[in-house]
Amino acid sequence: MSEQSHPFFFTWSAQKGAKGLEIVDGQGAHFHTSDGARWLDLAALVYQAHLGHGEKRVVDAVVGQAQALCLTLPSAVYPAKTKLAELLLELAPAGFSKVFFTLGGAEANENAVKIARVFTGRHKMVSRYRSYHGASLGALSLTGDRRRLPFEPAVPGVCRALDCYCDRCPFGQKLGECHLECAGHIETILELEGSGNSGVAAVILESIPGANGVMVPPKAYWQRVREACTKNGSLLIADEVLTGFGRTGKCFGFENFDVVPDLITVGKALTGGYGVLGAVLVHERVANYFDDHVLLNGLTHYAHPLGCAAGVAAIEVSLEDGLFTRAAELEAPLRTALLALQSRFPERVEFVRVIGLLAALELKTDEAEWGLLMGAIEGRHLLIHSVKATRTVVLSPPLCISEADLLGGIEQLGNAFAEIF
Ligand SMILES: Cc1ncc(COP(=O)(O)O)c(C=O)c1O
């Protein structure tokens, strides 16, 4: 860790004492830091490195694109842009017909909101409390979690709904005995917000809330929300920025629930982290509207060639290596290992939630112990996501990780628990 003063800001931190890993290279699920340590990446960096580190096929594609064509206009047409849009529409459910490119996930969500507003003639949005949709002001207004609070009032018109959080149901219900009060709640909000131009333009949901703790909903939840949107003339936006491209064992997270949204937003693993890119995938029933109406969305670096080349290569490598289904294959061993960890520390591991290669452990610790635990994990050179506010550890290893490395990593996590608990 580098603790000296740096001429740039560290994200999400008070700057004094802030530090970062000095990563020098990597291969597969491992990377090295400048002190010679070899880390196991159980986080896919920030959920983007599905293909792992040092993926030569993607690097070569980016280098080739840089040499062939690096600078273009937002309106320019060139092979990587067309190819990437085609690939994304092939991966999307039938009926999706257009792609709008952005530079990342937050911008994808902001552009999805603009499209939904213009298309519906409505301005209100519904999102959930335990959600994250990005750090730009509009995306932060959709975000429900604590990161929004210091910036209010931000963009007006967002109604927030309670979550589908079965382990701590906000409606006091138990899964299996409940009536999906959480989905009924969104339905009621849509009804009470009115119809016509006063109604809700769109509901935006992470298909599975990721960074807030992997609260996997029952299938019927998404289906009821879909029905409620259709009934009330609101669009349904699936935020797949974290869950897209195989993380949950399907290409998109919503495919676990047999529903089709109207708009899909992606980022992060779209390029495997090898390029800077996001996108909004738009169903034809919305896209067609813009045949005769001006689409008032644009960016200087729209569909940047390096991002598009990385996106094409990342998708091709994922398909070639079967990465989208690999997470489904590794779900069972991951769950077994985490449940074993829970039975080893039953007083400490309150909940375990897993889907594909995305998992959360909700822990019981005080603040001091939490700090010590994070130190013990870091000391073992394991990269994980830690959410101090909810005492949750989130795991999202690269999809190319071997089963042995995955299970070895969980064993190391168990050793860190044993050291502190
Ligand atoms: C679900 C979700 N949506 C949107 C974003 C924002 O993406 P970006 O950081 O690329 O703007 C994130 C980032 O963590 C995310 O997890």
Side-chain angles (χ1 to χ4, degrees), residues 46-47 103-107 109 132-135 206 211 239 241-242 268:
V46 190
Y47 302 97
L103 303 188
E107 270 184 358
N109 287 331
Y132 181 69
H133 296 290
E206 292 171 75
D239 179 341
V241 172
L242 188 149
K268 291 191 186 285

Side-chain angles (χ1 to χ4, degrees), residues 310-380:
V312 169
I315 293 174
E316 285 179 343
V317 168
S318 299
L319 296 174
E320 220 170 282
D321 294 359
L323 292 186
F324 293 169
T325 47
R326 228 185 118 55
E329 290 157 16
L330 288 177
E331 178 180 316
L334 175 60
R335 176 176 287 113
T336 305
L338 292 179
L339 290 176
L341 194 61
Q342 186 181 33
S343 27
R344 209 173 139 200
F345 300 97
E347 302 297 315
R348 300 307 199 143
V349 182
E350 204 166 9
F351 300 114
V352 171
R353 293 183 289 273
V354 184
I355 183 164
L357 273 178
L358 182 62
L361 298 169
E362 267 190 52
L363 305 180
K364 273 194 194 161
T365 77
D366 61 24
E367 192 168 339
E369 262 183 345
W370 176 262
L372 291 173
L373 179 63
M374 291 308 118
I377 293 171
E378 193 181 305
R380 285 171 172 75

Side-chain angles (χ1 to χ4, degrees), residues 155-227:
V155 177
V158 181
C159 316
R160 268 171 224 93
L162 291 167
D163 302 271
C164 179
Y165 184 6
C166 301
D167 285 329
R168 299 183 193 275
C169 175
F171 302 92
Q173 301 295 321
K174 265 204 169 125
L175 186 62
E177 296 167 17
C178 75
H179 300 95
L180 286 174
E181 281 76 2
C182 45
H185 172 63
I186 291 185
E187 201 170 342
T188 306
I189 292 175
L190 294 181
E191 284 164 13
L192 294 178
E193 288 299 330
S195 54
N197 286 353
S198 74
V200 169
V203 174
I204 181 164
L205 305 178
E206 292 171 75
S207 60
I208 294 129
N212 274 285
V214 192
M215 292 80 118
V216 184
K219 209 182 235 193
Y221 171 80
W222 260 86
Q223 295 178 343
R224 252 185 86 181
V225 172
R226 170 71 273 183
E227 279 164 29

Side-chain angles (χ1 to χ4, degrees), residues 238-253:
D239 179 341
E240 293 284 346
V241 172
L242 188 149
T243 44
F245 306 102
R247 173 57 59 201
T248 69
K250 310 260 187 201
C251 178
F252 298 112

